[in-house]
Amino acid sequence: MTSPKQIQLSHGGGGEETNSLIHDLFYHYFSNDTLLAAEDAAVLEVKSKIAFTTDSFTVSPIFFNGGNIGKLAIAGTVNDLAMMGAKPFYLSASFIIEEGFAFDDLETIVKAMAEELKHSEAKIVCGDTKVVPKGAVDQIFINTSGIGEIEKEGISANHLQEGDVIIVSGDVGRHGAAILMEREGLGISGDLKSDCATLWPAVQALIDANISISAMRDATRGGLSAVLNEWAEQSSVCLEIEESSIPVNEAVQGICELFGFEAFDFANEGTCIVAVPEKDAQMALAALHKVEVTKEATIIGQVSLKKEGRVILHSAYGSSRYLDLPKGELLPRIC
């Protein structure tokens, strides 16, 4: 019986095995003229102001319900560009792979990356592969960097104004809860999946509808709580949020109650928060509802000057409390 093919140190050694890995796997799935030119650096053409970002992905487990580390690496970097109103164009992808990693798993990850790129039409134009001795990393780490052209200027965490309406693009906390469920083997019934997804089509819909966007951010580590508190502080405003308006999946709520977590603090990987002037709020909702991943977008609150730098959570029973920044590391290696 033939043993499953595994990544060996020689795959990162720069010789025949490396050449085979690059041509047979990476070029096969990421094929484009710039990448295939195989120069020391990609030569790119951009016509306007650009956004540039980078992120490293070390999620554990690397395969989870709703995605894997490859899909996450593309969606994460593309979303960082999209949140600045930038259409994602060019990405780099660097892999640090543990010796002995299954080749079939690597192909599954690379294939997922190629599939996720289709949602934004961005291209991987350069990359790197390192193979390290067994035990030096936990299976595989991926770094992606990205360049996008700004299509909508003026989006900033510093630009929230009194009266702006706060919109969340979907239910919150699913990525963090899905990762926790995988690690703990909870066996909770239902189909709880990470929300991992590319948000560029939703941002494009807002831009096409000519929506004025004060601020926009994907609610990753620290979740909804972190984004709202950062906005309140950076724009020196108060964010008043209706707790009953925040969508939370029933399974996510159950996991939070089991472990004593707050769903608003859990990470998301395909859910964003948008602040728009009140006059544009309904048009923004209509635009977001046309896109599959944001079809459940809803208004959760409004900007005021009641308590500068704070987020106030109003309950359905008429009481209020501050929604604070999450404390400590709730769940390491979620992205």
Side-chain angles (χ1 to χ4, degrees):
M1 180 181 295
T2 304
S3 299
K5 190 175 178 181
Q6 296 178 325
I7 298 298
Q8 306 297 322
L9 288 174
S10 57
H11 283 109
E16 181 179 338
E17 293 85 351
T18 301
N19 191 58
S20 174
L21 186 69
I22 291 172
H23 283 80
D24 297 343
L25 182 65
F26 296 131
Y27 283 3
H28 175 71
Y29 286 103
F30 300 152
S31 179
N32 61 74
D33 290 344
T34 307
L35 182 67
L36 297 182
E39 302 288 358
D40 280 349
V43 178
L44 309 176
E45 184 174 342
V46 292
K47 298 175 181 175
S48 60
K49 189 181 291 185
I50 66 167
F52 177 43
T53 188
T54 189
D55 206 345
S56 296
F57 298 86
T58 67
V59 65
S60 176
I62 58 173
F63 294 98
F64 49 86
N65 197 8
N68 61 48
I69 191 172
K71 179 179 181 180
L72 190 63
I74 298 300
T77 290
V78 163
N79 288 347
D80 284 347
L81 295 171
M83 293 301 105
M84 296 304 294
K87 176 175 173 54
F89 270 104
Y90 304 118
L91 270 64
S92 69
S94 293
F95 300 81
I96 299 177
I97 308 170
E98 181 184 28
E99 176 190 15
F101 190 73
F103 184 88
D104 286 349
D105 285 346
L106 180 59
E107 183 169 21
T108 299
I109 289 166
V110 170
K111 189 175 180 180
M113 295 173 76
E115 287 295 318
E116 197 61 23
L117 284 166
K118 294 177 182 176
H119 296 293
S120 63
E121 300 180 346
K123 299 175 182 176
I124 290 178
V125 294
C126 58
D128 183 50
T129 304
K130 295 289 187 295
V131 181
V132 296
K134 196 164 187 61
V137 297
D138 184 5
Q139 300 187 79
I140 183 170
F141 294 165
I142 302 175
N143 172 274
T144 47
S145 299
I147 292 173
E149 284 189 348
I150 300 289
E151 291 198 357
K152 186 81 171 181
E153 294 197 50
I155 301 172
S156 170
N158 299 290
H159 288 178
L160 278 83
Q161 300 290 324
E162 182 182 14
D164 278 354
V165 169
I166 307 299
I167 296 171
V168 64
S169 70
D171 60 299
V172 300
R174 262 195 290 134
H175 181 69
I179 294 296
L180 181 62
M181 192 170 67
E182 297 278 357
R183 286 187 196 169
E184 300 295 330
L186 295 179
I188 291 177
S189 60
D191 188 27
L192 178 59
K193 293 182 178 178
S194 165
D195 63 332
C196 183
T198 291
L199 287 166
W200 171 249
V203 176
Q204 183 71 73
L206 291 172
I207 294 172
D208 290 346
N210 199 29
I211 305 297
S212 294
I213 304 170
S214 301
M216 185 161 51
R217 185 164 291 177
D218 50 341
T220 53
R221 283 185 297 181
L224 176 71
S225 302
V227 172
L228 296 179
N229 274 280
E230 287 165 8
W231 282 1
E233 182 174 345
Q234 286 186 244
S235 289
S236 299
V237 294
C238 178
L239 271 61
E240 298 194 55
I241 306 299
E242 300 299 327
E243 186 172 15
S244 60
S245 298
I246 303 172
V248 180
N249 180 285
E250 189 175 333
V252 172
Q253 191 60 49
I255 288 172
C256 287
E257 291 174 1
L258 186 62
F259 285 88
F261 289 134
E262 172 76 81
F264 306 155
D265 298 347
F266 261 179
N268 312 273
E269 288 294 346
T271 301
C272 64
I273 318 299
V274 187
V276 301
E278 188 171 15
K279 67 178 179 58
D280 284 1
Q282 292 304 319
M283 290 190 297
L285 281 180
L288 292 170
H289 289 168
K290 293 177 182 176
V291 180
E292 178 65 25
V293 297
T294 55
K295 64 182 182 183
E296 304 294 337
T298 188
I299 293 171
I300 60 170
Q302 199 157 15
V303 177
S304 76
L305 299 178
K306 189 173 184 178
K307 196 75 174 180
E308 189 176 301
R310 300 306 300 264
V311 179
I312 299 175
L313 201 61
H314 298 291
S315 77
Y317 306 104
S319 61
S320 300
R321 65 180 173 93
Y322 289 129
L323 180 66
D324 294 318
L325 273 170
K327 291 181 174 59
E329 182 65 276
L330 297 180
L331 195 64
R333 293 188 58 189
I334 55 171
C335 59

